[in-house]
Amino acid sequence: MARALPRPRPPFAAVRQWYEDELGWPTTGTEPVELLTGPRFDVLEMPAGAGRAVLRRMPRTGPVALLRPERGDKPAGDRPKLLMLIAAGGAEELPEILEWLEWGTLAADLTARGAGGRMPAPAIPAEHRASGGCGTREAAGWVRPPQPGYEVEDFLPATGFGAGIGDGGGAPDLVRLVSTAATECHRARLVRARNGQSDRACGAQPLAFSNASRMSAGTRPRSFTL
């Protein structure tokens, strides 16, 4: 008599189970699977090019995912985005942090997803995939994946007492991360604008950066601590 084999789980079910059971992150009941922002973490979103520059400057951050543009009829300006996980509540703080750093609207490409939002669930990291549980071709993938087995939230960028000690094993400071991300987003935007001006000779273009970014570069006296 032929032995009945268990039916394989749908790929999306494996993805949902990994996030809910291994990390304790709430997901949507949709396909493809999405992670809810707000309950356990928020997200900083920026162009991938600027995000890679941030990662080079800040070797310690929380988990980071790469969001690929969906296939189909999309605008030419639709580029890959980097999603950096930050402590819950950070999305609400972003406008005030940018204003405090004197960025105003200069860093328009730096946005956040917070309470009530969602993000695509990245593909399960290869080292955590069970046989047959790799899922489908998700719209996002991990650049710096979360590690099951400890509280991921303890390693997310945050503000307040104890922040800014990422080199010692804790969470990096959200203000410093936002300052770096805003600088790189604005720099990338100016470079794209300059490259698009084909009727001008390629020369040095003055960069309009905020006072905070100039302080970080040492070209403005420090009036507060980043």
Side-chain angles (χ1 to χ4, degrees), residues 53-61 144 172-173 176-177 180-181:
V54 173
L55 296 183
R56 288 193 295 269
R57 293 178 59 181
M58 304 190 73
R60 289 181 180 269
T61 64
R144 292 179 178 175
D173 176 43
R176 186 178 297 275
L177 175 61
T180 304

Side-chain angles (χ1 to χ4, degrees), residues 28-224:
T28 62
T30 59
E31 294 186 2
V33 183
E34 293 181 298
L35 305 176
L36 299 180
T37 58
R40 303 294 297 271
F41 60 86
D42 287 354
V43 169
L44 278 184
E45 182 173 348
M46 65 199 75
R52 285 191 290 267
V54 173
L55 296 183
R56 288 193 295 269
R57 293 178 59 181
M58 304 190 73
R60 289 181 180 269
T61 64
V64 179
L66 176 66
L67 178 61
R68 310 176 188 92
E70 297 180 6
R71 295 182 178 181
D73 297 328
K74 290 291 181 180
D78 189 16
R79 299 179 176 88
K81 300 290 184 68
L82 219 63
L83 307 179
M84 294 188 175
L85 272 59
I86 59 176
E92 294 182 6
E93 297 182 52
L94 178 62
E96 294 183 3
I97 293 176
L98 289 173
E99 189 66 27
W100 185 66
L101 293 173
E102 302 181 25
W103 272 107
T105 59
L106 290 175
D109 292 334
L110 180 61
T111 58
R113 306 185 188 196
R118 57 185 65 186
M119 63 171 280
I124 301 175
E127 62 271 23
H128 299 295
R129 294 175 186 169
S131 177
C134 60
T136 59
R137 189 173 178 81
E138 286 85 1
W142 287 113
V143 178
R144 292 179 178 175
Q147 296 297 327
Y150 65 89
E151 290 296 324
V152 177
E153 289 76 10
D154 292 342
F155 293 82
L156 297 181
T159 58
F161 181 76
I165 55 174
D167 292 339
D173 176 43
L174 179 60
V175 175
R176 186 178 297 275
L177 175 61
V178 169
S179 177
T180 304
T183 300
E184 295 301 339
C185 285
H186 187 56
R187 188 192 307 275
R189 190 178 184 187
L190 291 175
V191 170
R192 291 196 304 269
R194 184 180 64 185
N195 291 341
Q197 295 173 346
S198 57
D199 57 337
R200 292 186 179 184
C202 294
Q205 177 179 342
L207 302 180
F209 290 106
S210 76
N211 287 330
S213 65
R214 285 187 283 146
M215 279 181 12
S216 297
T219 58
R220 177 176 180 262
R222 287 182 178 269
S223 57
F224 56 89

